[in-house]
Amino acid sequence: MKLRLFPQESAGLDLLSRMAVQAVRGTATLSEALGAESAEFPRLAEELHTLEAETTELHFALMTQMRTSFINPLPREDLYDLSLILLTVMERLDSAAEIISLYKLTNVSRRAAEQLEVLGRQSELTVAAMRTLASLEDLEDYWIEMLRLSKRVERTHRMWLAELMNDHKALSYIRHRDLADQLAAASKELRRVGTYVGNILVRES
């Protein structure tokens, strides 16, 4: 029988995992935008706006659930903090889509696709982690893998910026850097989820 450190009530964790699923969907939409014609950018940006709005609703639903439920799967502060970080991830992805649309960014560096591949993996791992938080099963591996992936993103971000300096004039550099920074920031927020989970593991060990 698996040891459970927290009560069986799982509504809060279900909401957190649904928020992480939104990040998976967001990275997929951004990947589509990289290969799309500029005429498709407004539609894809609107899809990200919708995903961000849905994530906000999930955040509010979690707050309501915490207030109305006597037993929560984690301390309320943990649920709220994790939810807020996941919401910030979606805000970053939404901003990236808006940048592509507003600036009509085409011929984006292959580094963007590399970043989105890692972001997608981080998001998928986070979906699974949120679903198993109640038992803390296999979460040490999650914590370590999120750290590894985030370091990969940081290295790719540095290479991307160096290439932009060489290949773009000032205005174009600023626009492409804005996109690069938003993707790096989204990855950093996902790393924060992993770090927060690590704190929970240490606290409950």
Side-chain angles (χ1 to χ4, degrees), residues 5-6 10 14 33 35 50 73 89 96 122 127 146 163 184 194:
L5 297 178
F6 302 109
S10 62
D14 290 341
T50 300
V89 171
Q122 285 181 301
V127 173
M146 291 295 280
E163 291 164 0

Side-chain angles (χ1 to χ4, degrees), residues 23-104:
V24 175
R25 296 171 63 190
T27 55
T29 302
L30 277 173
S31 296
E32 183 181 350
L34 292 182
E37 299 292 333
S38 58
E40 291 295 301
F41 290 167
R43 175 184 65 82
L44 294 167
E46 187 58 35
E47 285 188 19
L48 259 296
H49 290 334
T50 300
L51 288 172
E52 191 276 335
E54 291 171 351
T55 308
T56 300
E57 290 301 316
L58 290 169
H59 175 66
F60 290 151
L62 179 59
M63 292 177 66
T64 299
Q65 193 275 335
M66 287 189 297
R67 290 195 304 269
T68 58
S69 176
F70 180 71
I71 298 178
N72 287 291
L74 289 173
R76 287 179 172 85
E77 294 82 359
D78 290 339
L79 290 171
Y80 177 79
D81 288 344
L82 287 168
S83 178
L84 199 59
I85 298 170
L86 289 170
L87 178 57
T88 304
V89 171
M90 280 308 306
E91 290 171 348
R92 295 297 191 178
L93 297 178
D94 184 35
S95 295
E98 192 166 49
I99 288 165
I100 292 173
S101 181
L102 288 175
Y103 298 153
K104 294 181 171 54

